[in-house]
Amino acid sequence: MTRYRSVKGTRDLLPPETGVWAAVEETARRTFELYGYREIRTPVMETTELFVRSVGESTDIVGKEMYTFEDRKGRSLTLRPESTASVARAYVEHGLQSWQQPVKLFYVGPHFRYERPQRGRFRQFHQIGAELLGDDSPLADAELLLMLDRFLRALGFRELEVLLNTVGDQESRSAFRDALVSYLEPRRKELSEDSRRRLETNPLRILDSKSSGDQELLAEAPSLEEHLTPAAREHFETLREILDGRGLAYRIEPRLVRGLDYYTHTVFEIVSRDLGAQDALVGGGRYDDLVASLGGPEVPGIGFAIGEDRLIDVLPEGFRDEVIPPVPTLAVAVGEVDPTVVMELSEELRGAEIPCEVDLSSRSLGSSLRRADKAGVRIVLLLGEEELEEGTVAVKDLEEGTQVTVRREELIGRLGELG
Ligand code: HAM
């Protein structure tokens, strides 16, 4: 027989872990709603062209990581590797520029990248993201970072590091690109193979090369910072002043350029030391030209995406402990009592929002109690012939080792008292 397994790089999330995921997502919703964000749900597939245009032809994502396929009519479709492009497309498609600006949207869901699986890296992974469209001020950048900080604190994180940089506007970037290429071109032979290729396609990406040889060469290279236009410099300085004023700590990382082409001005990542090689928990930045590049109006934007799989991998214990759901009360039919009578009783409890399970496979009272104990059940309700006749229920508290007889009509109140 074939043994069926989940596809490489994908995985099943099972309970009780799914409870942790739900609680993290609920915390994100609550926090983001405090800032006026509302949820958007876009399709998991888009036309391939959307990602090629926005994320960029020469990026790793578009070049080698997309799940791209033809549908039955020969259209090229792609499973979304990220959602900023989808949100920008939806903004244009539904004319959201006619809404009150800025438009603040968040999303939660699976994304797909064909990468080599390892710890913290999956082919189907999950992002919790937020996008703010229609405000180009550094105040918007600051507010977004404050929201992110509030969310991570609500989960109990304290030790995360925010890396911050600016890639400037188009003008700053093209001036820097020219200077960088002029510097590296005569040293081309000393560059790694990847960086030699990037020198043609996407020189800025050479900055975050992992090769130590490349990094040595870059030590003397012109910097992005010295090519910023006055406007780009001012945007970044104002953002820093606001963050300093709010006491939000960050580290300037002059080589941070991010792996997607749509960024302008502010870019950031949040990293965790607990994660290992794949240490980026969050990535984000400003994208003031993206909406227009997709045929929409000139609308600036900024956003971030949190890698939910990684976030949960390093989630502080305290948060985890709080989300363990209560073990339901167990109702057992004793002796000759018809189990459907017990089912009726448990439906009553559920109607009062008291979690309850019926031991349908009950063979004997002893085996039911042993199973209940093993499952961590606290309260067992016993319904025997005597109780049935008298209109009562025996309430056994396994934690306290007590048993009391309670009238049926008082049962819900009594269980409520027990919590
Ligand atoms: P990104 O940096 O490509 O940015 O991805 C954001 C986060 O998603 C990463 O920091 C990481 O935690 C997680 N992630 C990415 N790939 C994987 C993977 N294969 N397995 C597990 N986790 C992964 C974006 O996607 C941008 N759309 C962020 C953004 C929003 N910029 C502006 N708005």
Side-chain angles (χ1 to χ4, degrees):
M1 272 292 276
T2 319
R3 277 169 66 93
Y4 295 102
R5 292 181 170 280
S6 63
V7 172
K8 184 174 176 188
T10 73
R11 58 184 174 149
D12 302 306
L13 298 171
L14 305 175
E17 197 59 9
T18 40
V20 177
W21 284 67
V24 165
E25 290 165 13
E26 187 45 40
T27 306
R29 277 168 208 282
R30 264 205 329 269
T31 311
F32 298 171
E33 277 163 8
L34 292 176
Y35 290 79
Y37 284 72
R38 290 176 297 168
E39 186 178 9
I40 181 168
R41 299 191 188 194
T42 62
V44 293
M45 55 183 169
E46 298 275 358
T47 57
T48 302
E49 185 57 25
L50 174 70
F51 299 114
V52 175
R53 274 211 65 93
S54 55
V55 175
E57 189 134 32
S58 63
T59 59
D60 285 349
I61 295 180
V62 170
K64 46 189 188 198
E65 295 172 1
M66 294 205 302
Y67 276 94
T68 296
F69 58 96
E70 278 190 2
D71 74 0
R72 290 175 184 276
K73 286 267 169 65
R75 305 176 191 95
S76 182
L77 303 180
T78 292
L79 297 184
R80 62 180 181 195
E82 63 109 46
S83 277
T84 311
S86 307
V87 171
R89 180 210 31 83
Y91 185 98
V92 178
E93 184 168 340
H94 304 287
L96 303 195
Q97 66 269 23
S98 70
W99 290 12
Q100 177 75 32
Q101 304 294 301
V103 173
K104 296 170 168 182
L105 301 166
F106 73 87
Y107 50 86
V108 177
H111 294 76
F112 307 85
R113 292 184 195 175
Y114 193 87
E115 293 189 87
R116 198 171 47 77
Q118 63 180 82
R119 178 173 173 201
R121 193 157 75 188
F122 303 92
R123 289 181 174 171
Q124 174 171 337
F125 61 99
H126 304 79
Q127 284 188 344
I128 300 177
E131 312 287 349
L132 180 152
L133 295 116
D135 188 337
D136 64 0
S137 90
L139 269 166
D141 306 25
E143 192 194 71
L144 189 90
L145 285 164
L146 288 171
M147 177 171 89
L148 192 49
D149 181 65
R150 186 181 292 279
F151 169 61
L152 294 169
R153 280 178 181 281
L155 298 181
F157 284 103
R158 295 291 178 272
E159 307 271 284
L160 300 174
E161 190 162 36
V162 180
L163 310 180
L164 192 64
N165 194 25
T166 175
V167 292
D169 44 22
Q170 288 287 7
E171 198 187 328
S172 325
R173 269 220 309 280
S174 73
F176 172 61
R177 189 181 304 116
D178 292 348
L180 186 67
V181 172
S182 315
Y183 170 82
L184 289 174
E185 196 57 62
R187 299 167 176 81
R188 154 187 288 278
K189 283 208 193 71
E190 298 160 58
L191 282 172
S192 67
E193 196 186 320
D194 256 0
S195 293
R196 272 204 299 276
R197 193 171 34 81
R198 285 184 171 147
L199 196 54
E200 316 298 335
T201 57
N202 200 346
L204 255 63
R205 286 299 312 281
I206 297 177
L207 290 193
D208 66 7
S209 160
K210 299 267 184 291
S211 139
S212 53
D214 290 353
Q215 285 302 333
E216 253 167 60
L217 267 186
L218 288 169
E220 303 287 311
S223 74
L224 213 164
E225 209 261 327
E226 65 201 22
H227 290 86
L228 292 178
T229 57
R233 190 178 300 276
E234 194 190 326
H235 184 100
F236 197 49
E237 276 168 10
T238 311
L239 168 62
R240 292 183 56 180
E241 277 162 27
I242 303 169
L243 295 180
D244 293 342
R246 293 290 320 164
L248 197 147
Y250 56 85
R251 180 155 65 83
I252 300 290
E253 182 59 65
R255 299 269 164 84
L256 180 70
V257 286
R258 310 262 307 124
L260 301 92
D261 280 354
Y262 49 62
Y263 291 112
T264 53
H265 295 286
T266 314
V267 289
F268 56 89
E269 279 185 359
I270 299 184
V271 295
S272 160
R273 263 183 242 125
D274 300 332
L275 270 171
Q278 300 300 314
D279 66 350
L281 209 54
V282 182
R286 187 163 268 293
Y287 44 87
D288 289 350
D289 306 322
L290 176 62
V291 175
S293 80
L294 297 177
E298 296 271 345
V299 171
I302 182 166
F304 63 75
I306 302 164
E308 193 177 2
D309 306 76
R310 293 181 191 177
L311 184 80
I312 287 174
D313 188 5
V314 293
L315 199 61
E317 280 307 317
F319 186 84
R320 224 167 236 290
D321 295 343
E322 271 171 37
V323 298
I324 297 169
V327 181
T329 293
L330 190 73
V332 183
V334 182
E336 298 302 307
V337 169
D338 185 345
T340 57
V341 179
V342 180
M343 196 171 257
E344 204 174 289
L345 171 72
S346 30
E347 275 297 289
E348 240 175 72
L349 298 188
R350 292 162 187 154
E353 303 219 356
I354 297 173
C356 178
E357 279 193 77
V358 185
D359 189 350
L360 295 168
S361 61
S362 166
R363 291 280 169 276
S364 73
L365 182 55
S367 75
S368 282
L369 291 179
R370 271 193 301 280
R371 234 199 328 262
D373 199 35
K374 222 167 154 185
V377 171
R378 178 172 173 196
I379 305 293
V380 183
L381 304 177
L382 303 172
L383 207 60
E385 275 156 75
E386 204 183 314
E387 284 82 12
L388 204 57
E389 231 162 70
E390 292 172 355
T392 59
V393 179
V395 180
K396 205 171 172 55
D397 187 329
L398 297 185
E399 217 170 271
E400 301 287 321
T402 56
Q403 181 169 331
V404 289
T405 302
V406 177
R407 296 209 57 75
R408 271 290 281 263
E409 57 276 18
E410 288 164 9
L411 181 65
I412 288 174
R414 283 296 281 276
L415 290 177
E417 283 165 27
L418 287 170

